[in-house]
Amino acid sequence: MNNDKILRLIPNFRFTDEYERQQLLHDYARFSPWIFYGGLIISASDFFITSYLNRLPILGTLTFILILIYSIILIASLRKKKVDTLEVYTEAQYKMQLKNYIKVAYYSQL
């Protein structure tokens, strides 16, 4: 794996066997959108609540800006790798790819 420094941040990742590592990575991949958007909502609500109370929300503002920068970098890297494009040449290939994407999306939610 290329990003061992990041994977060491996962608790007990170094002390598990290969099956447990795959399960941990699957769980983190499945819940990362919820964690990302949840963190974005919490930091935005913290920003608005502290602004409403007439306090200077330095930490909330910094967190909100960092999450927005992270999301822009993530979107740029995905577009650079052309993850969001679908290259097919016939309608039959398009339908087959669409079915595969629907299956993957369904099974990833389980």
Side-chain angles (χ1 to χ4, degrees):
M1 298 193 180
N2 307 10
N3 46 4
D4 287 333
K5 291 181 181 179
I6 295 173
L7 293 176
R8 280 187 269 161
L9 296 174
I10 299 174
N12 297 328
F13 189 79
R14 289 183 285 174
F15 307 112
T16 57
D17 61 352
E18 188 61 33
Y19 176 74
E20 291 174 340
R21 286 182 182 179
Q22 291 299 323
Q23 289 298 97
L24 278 171
L25 291 176
H26 175 71
D27 289 341
Y28 274 90
R30 192 171 85 191
F31 293 120
S32 64
W34 293 101
I35 293 170
F36 175 74
Y37 290 117
L40 189 62
I41 291 169
I42 288 171
S43 64
S45 63
D46 177 50
F47 175 76
F48 290 121
I49 289 171
T50 53
S51 296
Y52 178 74
L53 295 174
N54 292 328
R55 295 191 178 133
L56 188 61
I58 295 173
L59 188 61
T61 306
L62 182 66
T63 306
F64 191 67
I65 289 171
L66 288 176
I67 289 174
L68 287 178
I69 290 171
Y70 171 72
S71 66
I72 290 170
I73 291 171
L74 181 66
I75 290 170
S77 67
L78 288 176
R79 290 208 175 149
K80 187 169 120 180
K81 293 180 182 178
K82 297 184 180 180
V83 175
D84 59 345
T85 60
L86 178 63
E87 294 182 11
V88 293
Y89 300 107
T90 63
E91 189 173 342
Q93 285 179 340
Y94 175 74
K95 287 182 181 179
M96 187 184 329
Q97 288 291 334
L98 195 60
K99 283 182 185 179
N100 288 339
Y101 287 146
I102 290 171
K103 284 180 189 177
V104 168
Y106 175 74
Y107 288 125
S108 67
Q109 296 297 323
L110 296 178

